[in-house]
Amino acid sequence: MNAVSAVAAPFDAERVRADFPILAQQVNGHPLVYLDSAASGQRPLAVLRAVERYETHHHSNVHRGVHTLSQAATEAFEGARERARRFLNARSTREIVFVRGATEGINLVAQSFARPRFGPGDEILITGLEHHANIVPWQMVCEQSGCTLKVAPIDRRGEVDIGRLLELLTARTRLVAVAHVSNALGTIVPVRRIIEAAHSSGALVLVDGAQAVPHSAVDVRELGCDFYAFSGHKLYGPTGIGVLYGREELLEEMPPWQGGGDMIRTVSFEKSTYNELPWKFEAGTPNISGAVGLAAAMDYLESLGLGAVAAHEQRLLALATAELERMPGIEIIGTAAHKAAVLSFTLHGCHPHDLGTILDSEGVAIRTGHHCAMPVMTFFDIPATARASFGCYNTEADVRALVAALGKAREVFG
Amino acid sequence: MDLKDLYRDVILDHNRKPRNFGALTGADGQADGHNPLCGDRLTVWVRLDGERVADIRFEGKGCAISTASASLMTEAVKGKDKAAIKALYEQVHTLLTHQDATADASLGKLAALAGVSEFPARVKCATLCWHTLNAALDRSADAVTTE
């Protein structure tokens, strides 16, 4: 993943903006400036309409009935799976498991892959910039199985210390679980290098791609990762739907992690047999409309061009970084050489929580807090940061509104 | 929603120069408060004379609302007995959570917190110190949380 080198194609952000009806509103008397896409992206009309079309014309339960609607719903749901397979360039739809989001995908791997086969002496290696969703599931596995969690540290720029990571990667390491892009700092992690090193040391790799998929094309075969998890709502799709990619031979060996309808082949009180991939991991009625919306979001994003979107976001990031660097009292947290469109910062004398309230009163929505990455905050010895993140619909005017609102905060707390 | 109503001069002043700030030696009760969502942390110490709070100090890191609320609280409760403090807290809580509440003259400078009621996400910033004070009065060493 190298968003910086993406080709600078003409990109009409104003036209893109018009695709997102939620953005055309006033918040606290000001036009909404939405700079919180790293928490959740907004949905374009194409997604909203696809979900509406499904709900008004095709909805029924999947994989069950012989009636027309059930077949239409099944086709829509399995069509979305094929869409996700193409999005990631996976070999087969058997490798695409629909989950609630990246969090559930990671938990699935933790409980179904790691827990049954890891034990005392085995190690799971993560990094210092992980989101809680890529920390806590592994801590739970360690408690359950007796294996040990190791953490590769980050440096002051917010980059993973690759030298230390390679030292921590030993014959005991069974799995490396690493973010593709840091949600708190924006750091793009060199996952390909980590995957190569892990594989030559005999460890498998899970990539938490929640923050990466909106900003660059991801090819799981080119990356060579064993598992890749992401959420639909960060990709301009609905909430409550996400994808876990897993290499087929690994998923094949893993036991189901939830039991119920759809994941079985036969059930008797003595013994049940399980469905084949990927349905073995999808117990219960799935989020069908969510999958339909996610597929529409992938169509939409690819119609804009992931490279063009990334280049546009990089221009905004560079502009915002330059503007904030000029403002007295602002400290940018996370200065990695390669960053996705995330800008974390603090303002001297003004707690991020106060900053968030002041910016909101100007219509500017940013995230404030620990960003579900408390260890990152501890590393920088700060309680929280303010975080502006950019999506395909943001414009230079949004950056100017952010700068003006920060000026207002400096007035109040000057 | 008026920003000036939230960040009144009294609030900004107590945020910049918190009163009764720093550890209290010879305390009878102490408690730690933590708001994990925004990272606010504070410690409240009390020295009691029977039922009466003879001295109180606090220390911590937090947003302007949390720091100013704690500073104002220490000034307001010093010298009061536990029953009066409980009654005062109930008045403050009403002020923080009801937009139509009017500040009673007995609240004194605490009335500056009235603007918080327009910002529901910030109510817990202002109440953290009071929960922590209650824990300190119970002489509990357990950390309290508003989450």
Side-chain angles (χ1 to χ4, degrees):
Chain A
M1 172 168 178
N2 193 348
V4 179
S5 65
V7 183
F11 189 84
D12 186 352
E14 286 298 340
R15 193 180 55 76
V16 171
R17 236 182 132 69
D19 293 336
F20 291 80
I22 199 170
L23 297 176
Q25 66 174 302
Q26 302 266 313
V27 167
N28 296 317
H30 299 271
L32 168 63
V33 175
Y34 189 75
L35 298 176
D36 199 18
S37 297
S40 195
Q42 300 296 352
R43 291 111 190 70
L45 274 170
V47 168
L48 301 173
R49 285 183 179 145
V51 171
E52 188 187 24
R53 195 161 51 244
Y54 168 76
E55 298 285 13
T56 51
H57 289 82
H58 306 306
H59 173 67
S60 179
N61 214 329
V62 291
H63 309 140
R64 281 164 175 82
V66 294
H67 63 75
T68 304
L69 285 189
S70 177
Q71 289 178 39
T74 302
E75 270 170 35
F77 186 63
E78 293 306 326
R81 195 187 308 277
E82 165 57 21
R83 185 68 190 82
R85 183 205 65 74
R86 269 194 291 135
F87 189 76
L88 291 175
N89 194 29
R91 282 173 202 84
S92 154
T93 51
R94 293 167 62 82
E95 301 182 313
I96 303 294
V97 181
F98 280 125
V99 286
R100 279 189 297 142
T103 297
E104 192 175 59
I106 296 169
N107 275 278
L108 192 161
V109 175
Q111 290 302 310
S112 178
F113 178 77
R115 185 181 180 181
R117 62 185 81 198
F118 295 1
D122 292 333
E123 292 176 0
I124 297 168
L125 178 58
I126 62 173
T127 81
L129 48 66
E130 301 308 321
H131 185 282
H132 295 165
N134 201 26
I135 302 173
V136 183
W138 309 117
Q139 289 174 329
M140 290 164 65
V141 166
C142 288
E143 273 181 31
Q144 290 157 342
S145 73
C147 65
T148 304
L149 188 65
K150 295 280 180 176
V151 184
I154 55 174
D155 63 21
R156 295 302 298 176
R157 292 170 304 171
E159 296 198 23
V160 176
D161 183 337
I162 296 291
R164 285 289 294 136
L165 183 136
L166 296 176
E167 283 169 24
L168 288 164
L169 191 61
T170 69
R172 289 186 299 278
T173 311
R174 301 285 306 274
L175 182 75
V176 180
V178 60
H180 201 166
V181 168
S182 154
N183 74 306
L185 306 175
T187 311
I188 298 174
V189 178
V191 284
R192 207 168 154 177
R193 190 172 165 205
I194 293 171
I195 291 164
E196 279 170 12
H199 284 174
S200 35
S201 158
L204 298 184
V205 181
L206 173 141
V207 178
D208 168 5
Q211 295 291 338
V213 285
H215 306 298
S216 79
V218 171
D219 181 331
V220 289
R221 278 193 270 179
E222 192 204 352
L223 277 180
C225 57
D226 302 288
F227 299 101
Y228 197 97
F230 68 90
S231 303
H233 70 103
K234 303 223 199 278
L235 195 68
Y236 313 109
T239 55
I241 187 76
V243 168
L244 171 71
Y245 158 82
R247 279 202 292 119
E248 184 172 344
E249 53 271 41
L250 297 170
L251 293 178
E252 199 64 76
E253 289 168 20
M254 287 157 57
W257 82 308
Q258 290 178 340
D262 226 22
M263 55 74 72
I264 46 83
R265 179 165 290 132
T266 62
V267 174
S268 72
F269 289 119
E270 289 70 39
K271 184 174 171 58
S272 299
T273 59
Y274 304 129
N275 204 338
E276 58 186 283
L277 289 176
W279 306 290
K280 179 173 87 174
F281 292 108
E282 295 178 0
T285 298
N287 183 355
I288 309 165
S289 67
V292 168
L294 176 58
M298 289 169 172
D299 285 342
Y300 178 78
L301 198 52
E302 288 188 0
S303 77
L304 297 182
L306 274 154
V309 169
H312 171 69
E313 291 171 347
Q314 286 294 321
R315 280 193 294 276
L316 297 181
L317 177 68
L319 176 66
T321 303
E323 289 286 337
L324 264 60
E325 275 173 345
R326 282 184 8 213
M327 293 185 87
I330 295 271
E331 187 185 354
I332 293 173
I333 309 293
T335 50
H338 299 289
K339 282 174 69 175
V342 170
L343 189 55
S344 231
F345 58 94
T346 57
L347 172 61
H348 182 72
C350 180
H351 191 279
H353 216 161
D354 295 311
L355 199 51
T357 295
I358 295 170
L359 265 54
D360 181 57
S361 76
E362 298 288 305
V364 178
I366 58 161
R367 171 84 186 264
T368 58
H370 53 61
H371 316 296
C372 295
M374 283 190 187
V376 173
M377 301 297 115
T378 305
F379 175 80
F380 286 101
D381 194 24
I382 46 179
T385 73
R387 181 190 70 184
S389 52
F390 304 98
C392 61
Y393 35 64
N394 289 118
T395 62
E396 289 186 15
D398 292 339
V399 175
R400 286 195 295 274
L402 169 69
V403 170
L406 286 172
K408 172 106 180 181
R410 289 179 57 220
E411 258 172 50
V412 175
F413 279 84
Chain B
M1 181 165 130
D2 187 354
L3 209 55
K4 284 199 181 69
D5 210 32
L6 181 66
Y7 295 113
R8 295 179 191 188
D9 289 344
V10 176
I11 303 283
L12 294 172
D13 175 51
H14 277 255
N15 175 50
R16 242 176 254 123
K17 292 174 293 185
R19 320 298 199 264
N20 302 307
F21 192 83
L24 175 66
T25 47
D28 302 305
Q30 169 189 345
D32 296 319
H34 184 205
N35 182 344
L37 189 69
C38 47
D40 291 356
R41 275 178 192 281
L42 58 86
T43 304
V44 172
W45 293 268
V46 287
R47 190 164 57 75
L48 297 174
D49 177 9
E51 283 290 290
R52 200 176 62 90
V53 171
D55 203 0
I56 174 167
R57 294 181 72 78
F58 85 104
E59 200 170 69
K61 273 187 186 168
C63 65
I65 303 304
S66 126
T67 303
S69 178
S71 172
L72 289 163
M73 178 190 78
T74 59
E75 286 193 327
V77 305
K78 201 183 287 190
K80 288 196 168 62
D81 65 27
K82 286 183 185 175
I85 290 170
K86 189 165 183 288
L88 185 61
Y89 172 61
E90 273 161 23
Q91 268 185 281
V92 170
H93 194 262
T94 303
L95 186 72
L96 292 172
T97 52
H98 292 77
Q99 291 203 22
D100 51 355
T102 49
D104 190 275
S106 64
L107 276 173
K109 277 197 269 180
L110 286 168
L113 291 166
V116 174
S117 64
E118 287 182 65
F119 299 81
R122 309 301 302 275
V123 170
K124 62 183 182 299
C125 308
T127 54
L128 177 65
C129 59
W130 288 91
H131 294 301
T132 312
L133 169 62
N134 282 336
L137 289 175
D138 292 341
R139 301 192 186 183
S140 160
D142 300 335
V144 300
T145 166
T146 52
E147 283 305 297

